Amino acid sequence: VELEEEQCGLSSAEAAMDASATSDALGDALVALGSFDVIGLVFSASWCSSCRFVEPQLIRSYENLRKRGDRIQLCFVSADADKAEFDAHRAKLPWPALPFDEGIVSASLNERFHVSSVPAVVLLKSDGSLISTDGVRLLRQHARAFPWSVPPP
């Protein structure tokens, strides 16, 4: 599956609310992103002031990791309420995004990874195994330790 510039490989049709569909959809996204060692799901929203504070730091870390050749791909998982907010937010990010779907996919991923607030970054290995649900801290404070051993620093 070819990764499109603006999407991470999941569609709302693939991610019905049951856990097996979410697992399949996540698996499809991981296949689309499979050439990376680490995949980060960035849970964020345009209305979130903490997100606006953290995102520039995440962007810097992400761009620095990519410049030095590290195989990481972040993917925006939106908590925005409408498509216009999503589009405006997405335009500011250097990484692809899950398609806007009124929260169907993001709600499933929130539940799967126990994300209760934004911003949050869930870091996964390319096989889907969890590295950390504390990716904001790892990207901001421990980017030099990439690809982060388990347990991470």
Side-chain angles (χ1 to χ4, degrees):
V1 176
E2 186 69 26
L3 178 63
E4 296 179 26
E5 182 180 13
E6 295 187 10
Q7 295 188 346
C8 297
L10 288 177
S11 72
S12 58
E14 293 171 321
M17 289 305 290
D18 70 59
S20 64
T22 302
S23 180
D24 292 345
L26 181 60
D28 291 345
L30 293 172
V31 168
L33 297 167
S35 64
F36 297 96
D37 295 330
V38 174
I39 296 144
L41 302 176
V42 180
F43 295 83
S44 184
S46 60
W47 47 262
C48 168
S49 60
S50 295
C51 299
R52 288 191 300 274
F53 175 77
V54 165
E55 282 176 350
Q57 297 167 26
L58 296 178
I59 290 169
R60 258 190 317 280
S61 293
Y62 171 77
E63 289 176 343
N64 288 337
L65 287 167
R66 297 290 297 259
K67 281 179 191 171
R68 74 178 203 198
D70 291 325
R71 297 174 358 133
I72 184 171
Q73 181 60 63
L74 300 183
C75 182
F76 174 44
V77 181
S78 179
D80 288 309
D82 65 48
K83 180 94 165 80
E85 289 176 353
F86 167 82
D87 289 340
H89 192 174
R90 165 67 191 98
K92 298 174 186 172
L93 302 173
W95 46 76
L98 296 180
F100 181 78
D101 65 355
E102 292 83 30
I104 295 169
V105 173
S106 61
S108 297
L109 292 172
N110 286 346
E111 184 176 329
R112 178 181 179 136
F113 295 110
H114 308 286
V115 174
S116 59
S117 63
V118 292
V121 178
V122 173
L123 296 170
L124 306 168
K125 292 183 182 179
S126 61
D127 66 3
S129 60
L130 181 66
I131 296 171
S132 177
T133 57
D134 192 15
V136 170
R137 180 183 64 83
L138 290 177
L139 284 164
R140 288 173 62 198
Q141 298 175 4
H142 300 287
R144 289 185 310 216
F146 180 90
W148 303 291
S149 59
V150 178

